[in-house]
Amino acid sequence: VQLVESGGGLVQAGGSLRLSCAASGFIFDDYAIIYFRQAPGKEREEVACISSKDGRTFYVDSVKGRFAMSTDTAKNTVYLHMNDLKPEDTGVYTCAAEGPAYTTTICPVDPNLWGLGIPVTVSP
């Protein structure tokens, strides 16, 4: 049972990337999933969340309108679509999950499944 991440890399400002978080060994049918990021020298911050049960999403203000999370049940995968990337989006992005999903909040409270993290670098 694990989360397998892919899709990071280097991109110029204004570009796009798509991060994938695939569930391995379980079904992503009723989970709260979150993407964190940690920039060099900074604390980890919440970026976006999605409930795989009902598709509700949450985004931190700094990425609203640019990032979007989605689920693909056939591929048992959650995606973070990142558009109009800025240098300040640089960091290691990590997906995490907790099941079952909550009804009162979108983001997981105490994730028990973690990906290994994947670097995203946005050049000016």
Side-chain angles (χ1 to χ4, degrees):
V1 176
Q2 59 181 336
L3 299 178
V4 180
E5 300 184 72
S6 61
L10 172 65
V11 65
Q12 287 187 327
S16 299
L17 283 174
R18 187 184 74 172
L19 302 184
S20 301
C21 178
S24 178
F26 68 102
I27 303 299
F28 245 163
D29 58 346
D30 187 6
Y31 281 81
I33 302 110
I34 185 170
Y35 264 101
F36 296 98
R37 70 182 175 195
Q38 186 164 18
K42 295 187 176 181
E43 293 188 355
R44 187 177 67 194
E45 65 169 337
E46 295 181 350
V47 176
C49 305
I50 191 167
S51 167
S52 65
K53 182 175 183 179
D54 57 20
R56 291 177 298 152
T57 54
F58 163 84
Y59 304 97
V60 68
D61 286 348
S62 61
V63 307
K64 281 182 180 177
R66 301 189 297 121
F67 288 16
M69 284 192 76
S70 65
T71 60
D72 185 330
T73 54
K75 295 183 178 180
N76 211 22
T77 299
V78 168
Y79 300 100
L80 179 65
H81 308 267
M82 304 186 295
N83 300 308
D84 190 22
L85 283 160
K86 303 177 180 181
E88 51 264 41
D89 294 318
T90 292
V92 175
Y93 285 69
T94 305
C95 67
E98 179 183 11
Y102 293 89
T103 56
T104 56
T105 181
I106 299 171
C107 297
V109 175
D110 186 19
N112 59 334
L113 293 166
W114 290 83
L116 296 179
I118 194 160
V120 170
T121 303
V122 184
S123 61

